Amino acid sequence: MLHCNALLAKNFVYIQAISVIRHVFKIKIGKNIKVKHKAATAPITDALLDGSKTLFPEYSYSGKLRPFPRKPRITTLPDSIGTPDYWEHGKPISELQSRGIGQIRVLNSEEIKGMKLAGKLGREVLDVAAKMVKVGVTCEEIDDAVFKACMDRECYPSPLNYRGFPKSCCTSVNEVICHGIPDQRPLQDGDILNIDITVYKNGFHGDLNETFLVGNVDEAGRKLVEASYESLRRAIEQVKPGAKYRDIGGVIQKYINSCGFSVVRSYCGHGINQLFHTAPSVPHYAKNKSNRNNEARSLLHHRADDKRGRLER
């Protein structure tokens, strides 16, 4: 099992640098094919744990992976757990109110301390999840361990009920780009798994992830993970006061293309502080239109998701 992580402060710019890649790179095999997905509206009553039937038979899947059943969302918490504004109803009110403003907040010393604590606790929770990754374990079992680790540290698992998300972390397997929902599918030999953890403590979110090779992953999968991680490392080197956010994407795409991969443009890096997602947006491809400069003491969740290269054959 291979896993990597990065949590870094450089030139006074703090980056919660998402460990190993998650920002979706895909292998070029012949021509790139765009897959349009139908809305998943089918009932789940005939789903079987052995995977012989699918939860959403009308959905147009891009690979072999299929969803499995899962337990209902957790709806009660200990009184000692501080919660974000979306905990009960799923609507991130503060985040929605900040949309369209585009202002990048520069954090003061006390706020930086709050972010460091959230990042530290997030790292601890991710380490708990990492120890569980092996063939036969389900992503829902990993999610259960993540929830317990958060409760033990009296912090809230930020994904839980964010816009209705039903679990405490994201587990994205193989062709799932990101934000996968943990379910009862056992991990299989050769899977590539990304675990995305965010915790909320004392009003601040700490967001990070890692990608894991489960058992014996083939050469193409390993190459994808390694190339993605290296692109993250090179991107981090660009982060300094005065550098342009758009230049980060150019560095990533140049390296990824040289390895025979291409960047999936659907997701990007983002700011993080008291809000789970906020300005700036940081695209991971060249010639993007992000025209801002890096601010000293602003915080980025730079999500260069490794693995996620959708091995389309």
Side-chain angles (χ1 to χ4, degrees):
M1 181 176 70
L2 171 70
H3 62 280
C4 308
N5 65 281
L7 178 61
L8 149 81
K10 183 175 182 180
N11 293 333
F12 301 104
V13 178
Y14 293 87
I15 301 179
Q16 284 202 316
I18 320 196
S19 330
V20 203
I21 340 189
R22 258 192 74 222
H23 213 171
V24 201
F25 302 111
K26 93 184 144 179
I27 289 181
K28 292 180 177 177
I29 299 177
K31 296 181 180 179
N32 288 333
I33 299 175
K34 294 183 179 179
V35 179
K36 292 185 177 180
H37 300 287
K38 297 178 181 178
T41 57
I44 64 173
T45 54
D46 61 354
L48 299 178
L49 285 175
D50 64 4
S52 62
K53 293 185 179 180
T54 180
L55 289 167
F56 305 110
E58 300 302 318
Y59 189 82
S60 179
Y61 293 92
S62 63
K64 296 180 179 180
L65 192 71
R66 296 293 182 271
F68 274 57
R70 54 178 171 78
K71 296 182 295 187
R73 177 175 64 84
I74 293 171
T75 57
T76 59
L77 293 172
D79 293 338
S80 61
I81 305 299
T83 57
D85 60 8
Y86 53 81
W87 152 240
E88 292 186 331
H89 47 69
K91 187 175 182 179
I93 297 173
S94 299
E95 189 173 304
L96 292 172
Q97 290 174 342
S98 72
R99 291 283 174 89
I101 299 175
Q103 182 176 359
I104 301 173
R105 286 200 55 224
V106 178
L107 305 185
N108 61 38
S109 297
E110 287 303 309
E111 290 171 321
I112 289 291
K113 289 180 182 178
M115 289 301 307
K116 284 185 174 181
L117 176 59
K120 174 180 180 294
L121 295 176
R123 175 71 261 175
E124 292 176 4
V125 172
L126 183 52
D127 287 344
V128 170
K131 292 177 181 178
M132 297 191 63
V133 177
K134 63 180 180 180
V135 174
V137 173
T138 71
C139 288
E140 190 164 68
E141 289 172 332
I142 294 174
D143 184 78
D144 289 342
V146 166
F147 179 80
K148 182 180 184 303
C150 288
M151 297 302 100
D152 290 344
R153 291 160 178 78
E154 295 193 336
C155 57
Y156 180 87
S158 300
L160 185 59
N161 208 30
Y162 176 80
R163 297 180 177 270
F165 191 84
K167 292 294 182 178
S168 298
C169 67
C170 301
T171 54
S172 303
V173 180
N174 298 339
E175 67 265 23
V176 177
I177 294 174
C178 61
H179 304 152
I181 301 173
D183 61 20
Q184 296 173 31
R185 174 190 178 272
L187 291 173
Q188 300 176 12
D189 187 55
D191 281 346
I192 302 175
L193 168 68
N194 182 270
I195 302 176
D196 192 349
I197 299 292
T198 309
V199 305
Y200 180 78
K201 179 70 173 180
N202 297 340
F204 294 91
H205 295 274
D207 192 351
L208 63 159
N209 73 70
E210 288 191 38
T211 296
F212 302 86
L213 304 183
V214 183
N216 301 296
V217 175
D218 62 20
E219 182 179 354
R222 287 180 174 272
K223 181 182 177 183
L224 174 64
V225 172
E226 290 166 0
S228 300
Y229 182 75
E230 175 62 18
S231 74
L232 173 62
R233 188 192 67 78
R234 293 182 181 215
I236 290 171
E237 290 180 347
Q238 305 303 308
V239 179
K240 62 190 73 174
K244 294 185 180 300
Y245 290 115
R246 65 175 177 229
D247 293 341
I248 295 174
V251 169
I252 292 172
Q253 182 170 332
K254 180 179 179 180
Y255 179 75
I256 286 300
N257 288 354
S258 74
C259 296
F261 300 93
S262 62
V263 178
V264 175
R265 301 187 176 200
S266 302
Y267 303 92
C268 63
H270 60 84
I272 184 170
N273 41 54
Q274 290 94 333
L275 302 178
F276 196 171
H277 305 88
T278 187
S281 295
V282 187
H284 294 139
Y285 52 88
K287 298 181 181 180
N288 63 75
K289 296 182 179 180
S290 179
N291 60 2
R292 293 180 177 272
N293 296 338
N294 285 328
E295 302 274 356
R297 301 168 76 91
S298 64
L299 204 66
L300 300 180
H301 174 79
H302 187 45
R303 91 179 316 128
D305 306 317
D306 87 315
K307 100 167 179 149
R308 225 70 319 171
R310 292 206 307 242
L311 304 175
E312 296 178 329
R313 301 187 185 279

